[in-house]
Amino acid sequence: MRGLYTASYLDHFATYCESARQCAKLDIGASFDLIVGTSTGAILAAALATGCKLSRVRELYKKWGPSIFPEPLPSSLLSLLWHVRKRKSLNRTGAEALRLALSEVFGTTTLGDVFADRRIGICIPAVELGHHHPRVFKSAHHQGLDRRDERMTLVDACLASSAAPIYRSLASVTPTLGNGPAQLYVDGGLWANNPVLVGLVDALEIRGDSTSRPIEIYSIGTCPSINGGPVGEADLDWGFSEWQFGGRAASLGIDAQASAYDKIVGKISKWLPNIMVARFPTFEVPLSVQPYLALDETSMNGTNALEDLGRNHATELRSLCMDPKEGSIQSLNRLFMETIQPVS
């Protein structure tokens, strides 16, 4: 559900820039050669790549969220006993709802269709469960790639990338090449929740030996949680309830990984020529919003809080862009005020 925050952030910031430029709706995705997204970010990546309005993505989260996550993870031993009996059914119901939601927006569009129609490459990470292998579903956007995923639908790719363990059912995907059996996939966030490194590697492959061609990476995350908290000797022996029956461990992995990949790409970009990395700034998250940051939070108060926070952060970014002193802010301002063009 945190993708609602990101869609709101991008949509409102683009609206501010449209007003300043006195232009029609900006087509954010059309200015990129490659768009990468994992888990809920896969849905956003697919939307940007296809030119889908972000307001429609926001409506997807609000309309379908309660059906995709019909019951939150247990927070007590008593509710755990209920979930042991019902969790499979809840996950199945949620997966079916997500497929319907994605089909409503993307229909039968494939990764190959996106590249053929818009000349935008797309990468969506997942995990192939049978072999515990990382997998990136890709359009054939450079010569080194085969066309194995060309006929994969955006719906299947997003389902596979967002199949969060415990929260949702696994995704069953039939190979689009050959006659092999369906493969089971789980959330790409297990290894590439922040896919900035995946994007950099593919961008380098697209560029090849032409190091004079610059690479510009613009990275945005989902709503940042308030990291960590007071811990001490009394917390050494956390058990099921303290780890929220696995849910808290997943959140910890997501936070640590996102930070680590940003640092890795930052180091790499200093050693390779003509690479610029700009990350959308993260601003303070009020304590009042913290209760609504669970991955399966779908209450009306929660969705309103995420949308409002995205709008507020877009306003703060616009203020920074009025006097952009930092290089990354200058790059973001130039991207939205000069590079991105209105819908034709």
Side-chain angles (χ1 to χ4, degrees), residues 189-194 243 246-261:
L190 293 176
W191 72 278
N193 186 65
N194 177 353
W243 284 107
R248 192 168 186 173
S251 296
L252 174 62
I254 287 170
D255 289 343
Q257 184 192 115
S259 177
Y261 282 8

Side-chain angles (χ1 to χ4, degrees), residues 47-62:
L48 293 172
T50 57
C52 174
K53 292 180 179 179
L54 288 170
S55 58
R56 192 175 182 191
V57 179
R58 289 161 54 193
E59 287 305 313
L60 180 154
Y61 283 105
K62 291 190 290 184

